[in-house]
Amino acid sequence: MKIGNREINGKAILAPMAGVADRAFRELCVSYGASFVVSEMVSAKGLEMGDRKSKSLSFLSYKERPAAIQIFGSDPKTMAQSVHTVLEFNPEIIDINMGCPAPKIAGNGGGASLMRNPELAESIVRAVVKESTVPVTVKIRSGWDENSINAVEMAKRAENAGAAAITVHGRTRAQMYSPPVNTDIIAEVKKKVTIPVIGNGDITDGQSAALMLEKTGCDLIMIGRGALGSPWVFSQINAYLEHGRIIPTPPVSERMRVMVNHVESICEYKGEKVGIREARKHGAWYTKGLHGAAKYRKELGSVSSLDELREIAFRICVENQ
């Protein structure tokens, strides 16, 4: 299918997760069959001011295509001006964040707080679309809280402003990441717009991916937390959707190999000091569900070098044979 003029092969997209969906993880997920990836959210104001970190977050490598750069902010003019910097990194798509629930984002008028101001949200989409030479998509939630479920209105406004697709996380901002996702609101959005709709929330394997598609009629699915420590979830989803085949979770030896390779890539791109610090959270995800996971989580939580990480990974393999 297509998002604007960009062809997307496959159904499963990697969600934009701050502090997680960096270059190393995006490349890894693409290698497992992610049909599309989205960058960590980038501050439009930061880009406008020439902030080095904002620019570094926008970098896209040839190994992670097709890819989108996601921007956030609350001022239409600033958002529009940031587009020119974003385009220097040649994204296939520009995505607008209107769903982040984090207080430091929503509390400053960006992210999910835009769900409370549909008129401003629409003007932001229109301003970004006007400046962009690539398709623009929008990621929203079902609403701000249970008393303001307005995803349908937001989606229709985004479409009217020129958005090429809309992603709906089926929870309100107040709900954060629980309880279970509301698929009904995603289905309702799908009925009311003509642009592609991407369903997001609670997708962790092939069966849950198929259920999201069946219940909502959405065109694509987006995986966030379901990919943490499980980048192979994309190959599992693809196998199930295309052939009805269930691919089991890789053996411990393969999980540890992928973990070490993942952290090595982070260290290559960001330096070992930063990479090892980030390895601690990834280690907790890669060892989830293993016998002795609590012990491994504690050890990996204080790992201080790549060599130490490799030693722990080897020992985990031996102890879980």
Side-chain angles (χ1 to χ4, degrees):
M1 66 163 296
K2 287 188 174 183
I3 294 179
N5 59 358
R6 303 298 184 182
E7 188 166 331
I8 307 299
N9 296 310
K11 293 283 189 182
I13 300 169
L14 175 67
M17 294 177 284
V20 179
D22 59 7
R23 175 185 175 185
F25 193 58
R26 295 193 303 263
E27 290 179 349
L28 182 57
C29 290
V30 166
S31 74
Y32 276 103
S35 61
F36 199 79
V37 296
V38 187
S39 76
E40 300 174 77
M41 58 182 177
V42 182
S43 167
K45 186 176 181 180
L47 289 174
E48 184 186 24
M49 296 176 65
D51 176 62
R52 184 179 299 178
K53 182 180 179 182
S54 297
K55 282 195 170 186
S56 68
L57 288 173
S58 304
F59 179 81
L60 299 173
S61 74
Y62 71 93
K63 293 181 180 180
E64 53 180 304
R65 306 289 181 155
I69 294 175
Q70 187 188 72
I71 56 175
F72 75 91
S74 58
D75 176 58
K77 183 178 179 181
T78 301
M79 291 286 278
Q81 290 175 336
S82 74
V83 169
H84 302 287
T85 303
V86 169
L87 290 174
E88 293 176 9
F89 298 93
N90 298 311
E92 277 73 24
I93 288 172
I94 293 176
D95 186 59
I96 302 174
N97 184 317
M98 296 187 179
C100 179
K104 69 177 182 179
I105 304 299
N108 288 312
S113 69
L114 290 167
M115 301 294 298
R116 296 188 292 182
N117 194 337
E119 294 84 3
L120 175 59
E122 181 176 357
S123 66
I124 287 174
V125 177
R126 198 176 302 280
V128 171
V129 168
K130 183 178 179 181
E131 297 300 318
S132 180
T133 57
V134 300
V136 174
T137 59
V138 182
K139 190 172 191 290
I140 64 173
R141 282 183 168 247
S142 61
W144 178 257
D145 57 31
E146 62 181 6
N147 298 314
S148 57
I149 305 296
N150 62 342
V152 170
E153 179 190 358
M154 290 284 288
K156 290 173 71 174
R157 284 180 176 273
E159 181 179 34
N160 291 337
I166 187 94
T167 299
V168 185
H169 182 153
R171 294 186 178 92
T172 65
R173 189 270 180 181
Q175 291 174 319
M176 300 293 280
Y177 297 102
S178 62
V181 68
N182 178 0
T183 54
D184 291 341
I185 190 64
I186 302 174
E188 191 63 24
V189 169
K190 176 57 185 172
K191 292 176 183 176
K192 299 296 184 179
V193 299
T194 60
I195 56 177
V197 173
I198 304 163
N200 178 217
D202 292 349
I203 301 171
T204 57
D205 53 25
Q207 296 95 317
S208 55
L211 195 61
M212 172 67 80
L213 291 165
E214 179 185 346
K215 283 189 171 184
T216 68
C218 64
D219 303 281
L220 298 163
I221 51 176
M222 181 173 280
I223 297 87
R225 290 176 301 151
L228 301 180
S230 304
W232 45 80
V233 70
F234 293 97
S235 59
Q236 292 174 320
I237 289 171
N238 293 339
Y240 190 82
L241 295 182
E242 294 170 15
H243 309 291
R245 186 161 52 94
I246 297 177
I247 298 178
T249 299
V252 175
S253 58
E254 177 65 7
R255 290 168 67 171
M256 292 301 97
R257 184 192 69 80
V258 174
M259 179 186 74
V260 171
N261 287 348
H262 181 183
V263 175
E264 286 175 342
S265 292
I266 299 175
C267 292
E268 178 185 349
Y269 299 148
K270 300 180 180 180
E272 186 167 344
K273 183 177 180 180
V274 174
I276 290 301
R277 187 169 65 240
E278 295 191 1
R280 296 165 185 167
K281 61 186 175 187
H282 287 289
W285 292 322
Y286 276 107
T287 55
K288 185 178 180 180
L290 295 183
H291 179 69
K295 180 184 70 171
Y296 301 142
R297 196 161 52 241
K298 183 176 180 181
E299 292 179 0
L300 290 165
S302 60
V303 68
S304 59
S305 69
L306 264 175
D307 285 340
E308 185 182 356
L309 178 79
R310 295 184 184 109
E311 291 174 4
I312 295 173
F314 177 76
R315 184 157 41 77
I316 291 174
C317 292
V318 172
E319 294 176 359
N320 284 269
Q321 284 183 338

